[in-house]
Amino acid sequence: MSNFVTTKDGVEIFYKDWGSKDAQPIMFHHGWPLSADDWDGQMLFFLSKGYRVIAHDRRGHGRSQQVDFGHDMAHYAADAAAVAEHLDLRNAIHIGHSTGGGEVAAYVARHGIPQGRVAKAVLVSAVPPIMLKTDRYPGGLPIEVFDGLRAGLAANRADFFRAVASGPFYGYNREGADVKPAVIDNWWRQGMMGSALAHYEGIKAFSETDQTDDLKAISVPTLVLHGDDDQVVPYKNAGLLQAELLPNPTLKIYEGYSHGMLTVNADVLNADILAFIQG
C-alpha cells in the first residue's frame, strides 16, 4: 500500500514524503496525541526551501494502524526507523516536538547514529530526559499530574482534548491571548483520529521514560528550542537539562512562548531551524 510501511512487528505506519528524492531529507516527529498533520506549516516551508520533507503518524495515531501493543518509546523509535529505512533517508535532519522529541532522541541514539543516517537533530518543547519527578530528577512533575491526564482521557476524551487545546497547550488560557479557534479545532481533529488506547498508554511513554542515556549518545549537532511559558512540558526540567546532557547542543529559550509555539509562532521557529540546518 502506498504511503504505508509495515514494521517488523506487523504495524502499518502512515507517512507523507514530499519533494525531490535527491534533496536533503528532513523527518518530522509529532507530539501527543496528534499526527503528521501538525507539521503542515513546517513541511510546506522547508519544501519551499528545497528540502525533502517526511512526516509519519505514530502507531495508534492519525492514519496509522490502531494496534493494542507497542505504545512505548522504544517502539516509537523503531517505527520511525522503519520509515527512515524504507525511504533510505541519509544525511537527514530529525525534528521532534514534545513526545516526538523523545521519539527523535530515541531514534537518533538507538537507530540513526549507529546506521550513519543522521546529520542533525532538533528538539522542540521536548519531553526528555523525563517529565516525571524521580530521585534522579527531583524537579519533575508528580505522578498525580499524569494520573489526572489518564482520568480525563478515560472519562470523556473529546471534552478532555478540547480543554487541552483551548487552554494550556497554546497558552490560550493566558490573559490577552490571541485565541485561534481553528487551531483548537485542528488539534482536536488530529487527536480524535487516533486510538484512545494508544493515547492512554502514550501518557506513560512520554512521562515515565528516562532518556538520559539517549541524550548523552546523540553526538550530532542538536538544536534545543523551548518556551519559558510552556505549561505542558516545563522548560527547566526539559530544555535546560537536554542542553546539559547533549554532547553538541545549541539552546534557545523563547520568552513567553507556549508548548504549541511550533504552530502559533511558526514564522520565528521555522527561520531559526532553517538557520541551524544551514549553519
Side-chain angles (χ1 to χ4, degrees), residues 181-213:
V183 170
I184 298 169
D185 291 345
N186 190 42
W187 198 101
W188 187 89
R189 174 192 68 84
Q190 291 178 71
M192 295 305 292
M193 284 171 67
S195 154
L197 178 63
H199 296 157
Y200 188 92
E201 295 190 352
I203 294 169
K204 180 180 177 71
F206 74 63
S207 64
E208 297 183 39
T209 307
D210 189 329
Q211 295 193 262
T212 301
D213 291 342

Side-chain angles (χ1 to χ4, degrees), residues 152-165:
L153 190 153
N156 188 324
R157 184 168 64 135
D159 268 356
F160 173 66
F161 282 179
R162 179 74 66 185
V164 172

Side-chain angles (χ1 to χ4, degrees), residues 237-253:
N237 203 52
L240 296 188
L241 293 179
Q242 292 158 26
E244 291 178 10
L245 292 164
L246 288 160
N248 194 355
T250 299
L251 173 66
K252 184 159 188 177
I253 303 295

Side-chain angles (χ1 to χ4, degrees), residues 58-133:
R58 188 170 299 122
R59 66 172 60 200
H61 295 61
R63 289 138 293 207
S64 289
Q65 191 174 355
Q66 293 197 7
V67 294
D68 62 353
F69 58 90
H71 302 298
D72 56 71
M73 204 60 77
H75 281 89
Y76 296 167
D79 293 350
V83 176
E85 290 166 21
H86 175 68
L87 299 176
D88 196 26
L89 304 182
R90 298 185 181 279
N91 194 36
I93 314 294
H94 284 266
I95 304 178
H97 174 246
S98 194
T99 300
E103 181 177 287
V104 165
Y107 165 76
V108 172
R110 305 175 198 184
H111 303 274
I113 287 176
Q115 295 177 1
R117 294 182 178 274
V118 180
K120 294 181 178 180
V122 182
L123 305 179
V124 184
S125 312
V127 297
I130 187 170
M131 288 188 70
L132 183 68
K133 180 178 181 177

